[in-house]
Amino acid sequence: MQNFVFYTPTKLVFGKNTVEKIGEYLKKDNVKKVLLLAGGGSIKKNGVYEKVVRSLVENGIEKVEVWGVRPNPVLSKVKEAISVAKNENVDAILAVGGGSVIDSAKAVAAGVKYQGDVWDFYSGKAKVKEAMPLYTILTLSATGTEMNGNSVVTNEETLEKFSFSSIHVYPKVSVVDPEVQYTLPQNQLVNGAVDAISHVMEYYFDGEEVSLTDRIDEGIIKTIIQTTEVLLDDPKNYDARANFALSTTLALNGVSGLGHKGGDWSSHAIEHALSALNPDVAHGAGLAVVFPAWMKYVYNQAPERFVQFGENIFGLKNCKPEEAINALSQWYKKIGAPTTLKELGFKEEDIEKLTEIASKMTPMGKLKKLERDDIKKILEIAY
C-alpha cells in the first residue's frame, strides 16, 4: 500500500429538497454576488433554475449569469466567464449543471485570480495558487467533479483536451439532489455510469493491490451496475437514483484511490483525443470503447487483477482475464453504450490523427508505460 494523505474540503449536501438551501450556504459564507454558470438550458426545464433563483433572492444574493457551457467544455467559454466575473466583481462562482459546467467553473474560479492565460494551468506552465470560492449544484451524476479538484477543458484551437488538479478549486459546498435527475435522457445515464466505473477502474488497475480499497471499489462498481439497470426501467426510483448518485461521487472523491499509485489514467488520456477531435463524442461513450481496448492490451502485466475483477464484479468462476474484459464489454452493450470506434463515427484513417493527439501526453500509464506505438495499437483494437 502506498503512503497517502486524504483530504477533501467540500461539504456534500445530499438528498431531497436540497437545491433550495444553496442561498443559505452562500449567505453563511458572506457571499453577496455570484456568477451563475450553466449549460444549454435544461435547468430551466426541470425546475432547478427557478429554485436556485428563489433561494438567492430570499437570501439577498445578487447574480450575473453565463450560459452555454457545452458537453466537453471549451476554453473560449471559460475565458468569457472569467471576463464577466472580473467585470462584475462577483464574490463567488456558482456552477449549476453537470461535470462540464463544474469543470469550467473551476477554471473560472482559478482564472479570475490569475494574471496570465488560464490555459497555463492545463498545459503545465503554471500551478493554481488561489481561486475564488466555488459552489455547485449537480444535475448529472457522472464525473465526481462535485467533490474533487479536477478540471478538464478542450482548447478548440489546438485540439488539446488537458486537465489540471488543485486543492484550491474543490467546491466549498456541493448540492446533490437525486430527484432533479429523474428526467435525464437514458444516454446520459449510461454515459455517466461508464464514466464513473472508469474512474474506479483507473485506480483498480494501476498495479497496486489494497485489499480494503478493492472491496470499496468493487462495491461502487457493482452498485453502479445494479442501479443503472434499475433506472433504465424506472427512472424515478429514488433509492436507485440516490445510490447511483452517491456511487459516482465516491468514484472520484479520493476514496476509491486510497493506498494506490494515483491511478493509471491512460484510458482517460486516450479518450480525451477522441472528444478533442470530435466534440460530439461524449466522454463516457468514448471510455466505453477505449477502456476495454486498453485492458486487452495490458492485462498480461497483472492477469490476476483482471481475474479478480471478473470474479468479484461479474461472478465469473475460475475465469481468464479475457473473459472478465469481455463481460465488461457485454454489459456496456447491454445498457446501450458503444464498444468500437466505428460506432462513434470514426474511420480507420482517423487512428493516425487520434494517435498524434493522444501522444502529446506520453509516456502515460502506471500498469504499463505507454508510448506512441502502444497508443496506436490500443486504438486499432478499439476500432
Side-chain angles (χ1 to χ4, degrees):
M1 182 189 295
Q2 304 288 311
N3 293 352
F4 65 86
V5 175
F6 179 57
Y7 169 65
T8 170
T10 300
K11 178 182 289 185
L12 180 66
V13 181
F14 189 98
K16 298 178 181 180
N17 305 315
T18 49
V19 172
E20 295 91 331
K21 297 182 182 295
I22 189 61
E24 298 173 24
Y25 286 106
L26 290 164
K27 185 177 181 180
K28 189 180 297 184
D29 289 344
N30 202 33
V31 174
K32 305 294 185 183
K33 186 176 183 179
V34 297
L35 170 71
L36 192 159
L37 189 65
S42 62
I43 62 172
K44 288 187 175 180
K45 298 176 183 177
N46 63 16
V48 171
Y49 176 78
E50 181 182 351
K51 292 177 182 178
V52 171
V53 171
R54 186 187 311 123
S55 183
L56 295 179
V57 171
E58 289 174 351
N59 288 277
I61 297 164
E62 293 183 64
K63 66 172 174 61
V64 58
E65 302 175 4
V66 173
W67 292 77
V69 176
R70 53 162 298 160
N72 291 316
V74 294
L75 181 62
S76 58
K77 180 59 67 173
V78 167
K79 290 184 174 180
E80 175 192 335
I82 290 172
S83 178
V84 172
K86 286 181 175 179
N87 292 336
E88 295 287 342
N89 293 311
V90 301
D91 303 313
I93 311 298
L94 174 59
V96 186
S100 295
V101 173
I102 297 174
D103 276 21
S104 297
K106 290 174 180 176
V108 176
V112 170
K113 294 287 189 177
Y114 182 59
Q115 297 304 312
D117 187 340
V118 68
W119 185 249
D120 290 347
F121 300 136
Y122 296 93
S123 64
K125 292 181 180 178
K127 296 286 187 182
V128 178
K129 295 181 178 179
E130 60 178 333
M132 296 198 73
L134 171 63
Y135 300 77
T136 76
I137 296 173
L138 184 71
T139 61
L140 171 59
S141 290
T143 69
T145 189
E146 66 275 8
M147 205 175 180
N148 65 42
N150 307 330
S151 173
V152 181
V153 164
T154 298
N155 185 328
E156 316 98 296
E157 294 182 3
T158 61
L159 292 181
E160 293 171 321
K161 186 177 181 181
F162 290 168
S163 64
F164 77 81
S165 184
S166 170
I167 195 69
H168 298 293
V169 296
Y170 271 71
K172 291 197 68 176
V173 175
S174 275
V175 174
V176 180
D177 181 347
E179 288 190 313
V180 308
Q181 301 187 40
Y182 282 167
T183 57
L184 287 174
Q186 284 196 347
N187 70 303
Q188 290 189 352
L189 169 68
V190 168
N191 289 336
V194 175
D195 194 4
I197 288 173
S198 298
H199 291 153
V200 180
M201 291 194 301
E202 293 284 14
Y203 292 113
Y204 195 87
F205 294 114
D206 74 352
E208 188 71 39
E209 183 175 352
V210 188
S211 296
L212 175 59
T213 307
D214 282 354
R215 301 296 85 76
I216 294 170
D217 290 352
E218 289 161 2
I220 291 172
I221 293 173
K222 290 174 73 173
T223 300
I224 292 171
I225 288 173
Q226 176 190 8
T227 54
T228 299
E229 293 182 0
V230 172
L231 292 171
L232 286 172
D233 290 329
D234 183 9
K236 294 186 178 181
N237 184 309
Y238 179 78
D239 285 340
R241 187 69 69 174
N243 276 281
F244 180 91
L246 185 56
S247 295
T248 59
T249 297
L250 295 179
L252 199 56
N253 77 337
V255 170
S256 65
L258 292 178
H260 275 268
K261 297 178 179 179
D264 186 277
W265 301 109
S266 50
S267 292
H268 270 73
I270 295 171
E271 192 290 320
H272 287 169
L274 272 59
S275 43
L277 186 60
N278 181 3
D280 290 331
V281 173
H283 183 52
L287 285 169
V289 172
V290 171
F291 218 117
W294 172 84
M295 295 167 89
K296 291 175 183 177
Y297 189 71
V298 304
Y299 75 78
N300 280 325
Q301 302 295 313
E304 69 285 350
R305 293 293 287 170
F306 291 86
V307 170
Q308 176 180 299
F309 182 80
E311 290 178 345
N312 293 352
I313 300 298
F314 295 105
L316 303 175
K317 301 300 182 184
N318 301 314
C319 71
K320 297 177 180 178
E322 302 97 309
E323 293 172 322
I325 299 166
N326 186 59
L328 179 66
S329 290
Q330 288 302 314
W331 187 74
Y332 285 163
K333 287 182 180 179
K334 177 181 177 181
I335 63 173
T339 55
T340 67
L341 288 176
K342 287 181 182 178
E343 291 176 74
L344 293 175
F346 290 103
K347 296 180 173 59
E348 194 167 4
E349 53 264 33
D350 293 326
I351 290 176
E352 192 61 43
K353 183 63 176 178
L354 292 170
T355 301
E356 177 188 335
I357 296 172
S359 295
K360 293 179 181 181
M361 303 297 291
T362 54
M364 62 175 70
K366 290 283 177 62
L367 185 61
K368 178 180 173 63
K369 288 291 183 184
L370 303 181
E371 300 289 351
R372 181 189 173 95
D373 287 347
D374 301 303
I375 292 169
K376 185 174 183 180
K377 289 173 183 176
I378 289 170
L379 288 166
E380 287 170 347
I381 293 171
Y383 186 77

